[in-house]
């Protein structure tokens, strides 16, 4: 998809190109008409001069009092010729003219005055002008012919067209450059707006800020109001989710207490059933609340998390919890990376994965970045791992591959669901430590 800037520059360039080409064609046509008229005027002047200088003798011969004022008529095959004919015979001709007589089309009886023709000359097409002079109305007129090679006219026009083409090309390129600069300057507020939006998305700012033109200010104000209202809605949604959790917590605690009381009274079967269902209800409540929070935070601009900070916090908390079991938690996450995720959700996902790894590890759990970059995180352990057929089962809510291990079977399901809500995913594989590797894939900042 092309950008607005590219489309504007392309449209301006096409319009300038069409205008320049049109102007070139018009100017070339005007110049050619002007030069052609000038050529004919010059021929007419030379024709009049030829007629004035001509002297006819009694024997029918013709003699010029002097040569024409233009010396090009004296240079052999120069392309400037004159000739005087009568009854198809040549009475006189210019020193520049060689070869047979000029062949002029016949004139009609009413063709008097000056006529122009394009004939074949000794050096190419010839623009010829002729005038018939009748000394005796009943006699054949003398035909005064003067001409210039068409190539001379074409050379002048061609030279002008080359100069015109280069001039208009340079002028058109300068216009395209000026239009490009103007468009870039006009779109500068859009780049500023994009930078301001990036600052909001990356968490460096809560609202759009900067100096914008009058035309863009209403848009900026509307976006800021939208950001404020969205933040308020999300906050209310999170508060409501918390209220629901607290509202269900007390009744669920009462039911759980009753189940323990039944167990104390010897009704172990009923107590076990009720406690089992209570744990499932608590798991589903935790799952839905976490999901609701992630859905809200996913749409909030500026939500970013520091993976190193999250890894250190989780390692510190769970390291104390599993200290007695001789499990060490290593953190190999470099500084400077950011993930597009709410910090609380990243902590919760990472805590679930590390807790699960600590339960199965023999001695080591390692937290790192995927491939050393910031496209997600990995949690490795040196435990027994999982067979390939178990890697889909453990993502089902309430399912555990090892029924003897403690837990609700909800951890991996929550992690995968939260990751997918942020546009990521969770993958299981074999660790180089010998156990299970969990890849938590999350989009990077921006």
């Amino acid at each position: 998809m092309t950008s607005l800037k590219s489309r504007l520059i392309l449209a301006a360039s096409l319009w300038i190109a069409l205008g320049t080409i049109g102007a070139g064609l018009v100017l070339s046509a005007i110049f050619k008409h002007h030069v052609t008229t000038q050529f004919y005027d010059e021929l007419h002047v030379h024709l009049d001069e030829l007629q004035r200088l001509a002297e006819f003798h009694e024997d029918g011969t013709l003699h010029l009092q002097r040569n024409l004022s233009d010396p090009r008529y004296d240079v052999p095959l120069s392309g400037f010729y004159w000739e005087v004919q009568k009854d198809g015979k040549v009475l006189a001709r210019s020193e520049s003219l060689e070869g047979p007589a000029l062949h002029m089309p016949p004139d009609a009886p009413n063709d008097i005055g000056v006529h122009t023709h394009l004939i074949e000359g000794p050096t190419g097409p010839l623009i010829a002008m002729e005038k018939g002079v009748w000394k005796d109305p009943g006699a054949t007129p003398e035909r005064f012919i003067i001409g210039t090679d068409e190539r001379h006219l074409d050379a002048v026009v061609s030279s002008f067209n080359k100069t015109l083409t280069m001039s208009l090309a340079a002028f058109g390129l300068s216009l395209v450059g000026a239009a490009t600069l103007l468009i870039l300057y006009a779109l500068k507020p859009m780049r500023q707006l994009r930078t301001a939006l990036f600052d909001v998305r990356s968490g460096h700012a809560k609202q759009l800020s900067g100096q914008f033109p009058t035309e863009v200010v209403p848009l900026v104000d509307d976006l800021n109001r939208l950001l404020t209202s969205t933040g308020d809605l999300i906050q209310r949604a999170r508060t409501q989710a918390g209220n629901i959790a607290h509202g269900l917590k007390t009744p669920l605690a009462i039911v759980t207490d009753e189940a323990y009381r039944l167990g104390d009274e010897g009704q172990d079967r009923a107590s076990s059933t009720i406690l089992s269902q209570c744990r499932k209800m608590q798991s589903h409540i935790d799952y839905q609340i976490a999901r609701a929070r992630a859905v809200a935070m996913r749409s909030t601009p500026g939500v970013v998390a520091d993976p190193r900070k999250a890894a250190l916090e989780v390692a510190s908390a769970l390291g104390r919890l599993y200290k007695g079991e001789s499990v060490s938690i290593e953190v190999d996450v470099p500084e400077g990376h950011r993930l597009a995720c709410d910090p609380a959700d990243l902590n919760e996902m990472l805590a679930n994965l590390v807790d699960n790894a600590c339960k199965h590890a023999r001695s080591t759990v390692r937290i790192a970045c995927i491939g050393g970059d910031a496209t997600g995180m990995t949690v490795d352990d040196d435990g027994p791992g999982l067979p390939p057929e178990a890697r889909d089962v453990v993502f089902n809510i309430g399912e555990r591959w090892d029924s003897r291990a403690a837990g609700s079977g909800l951890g991996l399901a929550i992690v995968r669901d939260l990751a997918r809500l942020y546009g990521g995913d969770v993958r299981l594989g074999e660790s180089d430590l010998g156990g299970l590797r969990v890849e938590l894939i999350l989009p990077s900042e921006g």
Side-chain angles (χ1 to χ4, degrees):
M1 182 181 294
T2 57
S3 65
L4 177 61
K5 176 182 67 178
S6 301
R7 284 182 286 182
L8 288 175
I9 293 176
L10 179 61
S13 300
L14 290 176
W15 182 250
I16 291 172
L18 291 175
T20 303
I21 293 172
L25 294 175
V26 172
L27 290 175
S28 178
I30 293 174
F31 180 79
K32 184 174 182 180
H33 174 74
H34 172 74
V35 173
T36 303
T37 303
Q38 186 178 10
F39 263 65
Y40 281 118
D41 289 343
E42 185 178 356
L43 286 176
H44 197 280
V45 170
H46 291 164
L47 183 62
D48 287 343
E49 183 182 17
L50 176 64
Q51 185 180 353
R52 287 196 310 270
L53 296 176
E55 290 183 350
F56 288 92
H57 299 286
E58 293 180 358
D59 58 358
T61 60
L62 181 145
H63 177 73
L64 291 186
Q65 300 175 15
R66 61 175 175 80
N67 290 339
L68 267 62
S69 57
D70 192 334
R72 293 174 293 184
Y73 289 99
D74 301 327
V75 179
L77 301 177
S78 64
F80 292 84
Y81 312 115
W82 63 263
E83 192 173 74
V84 181
Q85 299 178 359
K86 184 174 182 178
D87 292 327
K89 297 180 180 180
V90 176
L91 301 181
R93 61 185 350 192
S94 64
E95 295 182 6
S96 60
L97 185 57
E98 298 177 2
L102 298 176
H103 178 71
M104 299 294 293
D107 292 331
N110 58 348
D111 287 337
I112 58 176
V114 179
H115 307 286
T116 56
H117 304 280
L118 183 64
I119 64 174
E120 190 64 32
T123 52
L126 186 71
I127 301 174
M129 183 176 287
E130 70 155 329
K131 183 178 181 181
V133 177
W134 278 266
K135 294 185 178 301
D136 183 353
T140 304
E142 290 88 10
R143 302 178 73 181
F144 290 83
I145 305 169
I146 197 163
T148 301
D149 275 355
E150 190 180 31
R151 60 187 171 91
H152 293 299
L153 174 63
D154 293 340
V156 174
V157 174
S158 177
S159 177
F160 174 80
N161 285 340
K162 289 180 180 178
T163 304
L164 179 65
T165 299
M166 290 187 291
S167 301
L168 288 179
F171 180 66
L173 290 175
S174 66
L175 286 180
V176 171
T180 301
L181 292 177
L182 179 62
I183 291 171
L184 292 177
Y185 179 75
L187 293 179
K188 185 178 179 181
M190 297 296 104
R191 294 195 297 273
Q192 294 175 341
L193 182 59
R194 180 183 178 185
T195 302
L197 282 172
F198 178 80
D199 290 340
V200 172
R201 288 181 58 197
S202 61
H204 298 126
K206 295 300 182 183
Q207 286 194 327
L208 305 177
S209 60
Q211 298 294 327
F212 297 99
T214 306
E215 294 80 5
V216 183
V217 169
L219 174 61
V220 174
D221 292 340
D222 289 342
L223 286 174
N224 281 333
R225 284 193 289 268
L226 178 61
L227 290 172
T228 301
S229 63
T230 301
D232 293 341
L233 287 173
I234 291 172
Q235 187 59 41
R236 286 197 294 270
R238 299 187 71 174
T239 302
Q240 186 175 5
N243 292 337
I244 292 174
H246 285 292
L248 294 174
K249 183 177 181 180
T250 300
L252 192 59
I254 294 174
V255 174
T256 304
D257 185 65
E258 285 296 313
Y260 282 118
R261 187 180 62 80
L262 290 174
D264 293 339
E265 294 178 356
Q267 302 183 38
D268 295 336
R269 185 174 180 180
S271 174
S272 175
T273 301
I274 295 174
L275 286 174
S276 173
Q277 296 304 313
C278 285
R279 282 193 293 267
K280 288 184 178 180
M281 284 189 289
Q282 184 63 54
S283 298
H284 282 281
I285 290 171
D286 293 340
Y287 174 76
Q288 295 301 332
I289 289 175
R291 180 183 173 89
R293 184 180 67 245
V295 170
M297 296 309 299
R298 179 188 57 176
S299 304
T300 304
V303 174
V304 291
D306 183 344
R308 177 173 174 81
K309 180 181 178 182
L312 291 174
E313 290 176 354
V314 171
S316 176
L318 293 179
R320 290 191 298 269
L321 181 63
Y322 287 94
K323 185 176 181 180
E325 300 185 21
S326 300
V327 176
S328 64
I329 303 176
E330 301 175 358
V331 176
D332 185 18
V333 180
E335 295 183 356
H337 294 314
R338 296 293 183 272
L339 297 176
C341 174
D342 179 57
D345 287 334
L346 179 60
N347 279 26
E348 181 172 347
M349 288 187 284
L350 201 58
N352 271 301
L353 297 180
V354 175
D355 181 48
N356 186 69
C358 288
K359 290 175 181 177
H360 298 88
R362 294 187 178 93
S363 62
T364 305
V365 172
R366 184 177 62 206
I367 309 172
C369 280
I370 295 180
D373 57 23
T375 58
M377 307 181 72
T378 61
V379 176
D380 294 87
D381 65 68
D382 59 352
L386 275 178
E389 62 271 17
R391 292 174 187 174
D392 289 330
V393 176
V394 293
F395 285 113
N396 297 329
I397 297 176
E399 294 288 346
R400 287 177 295 145
W401 183 253
D402 185 1
S403 60
R404 296 170 298 176
S408 62
L410 194 64
L412 285 177
I414 290 179
V415 172
R416 186 176 68 172
D417 217 25
L418 292 181
R420 288 180 175 178
L421 287 172
Y422 281 105
D425 205 350
V426 176
R427 292 198 297 252
L428 303 181
E430 295 182 3
S431 171
D432 55 2
L433 297 179
L436 179 68
R437 163 170 289 186
V438 183
E439 294 183 354
L440 175 60
I441 303 168
L442 290 171
S444 60
E445 175 190 8

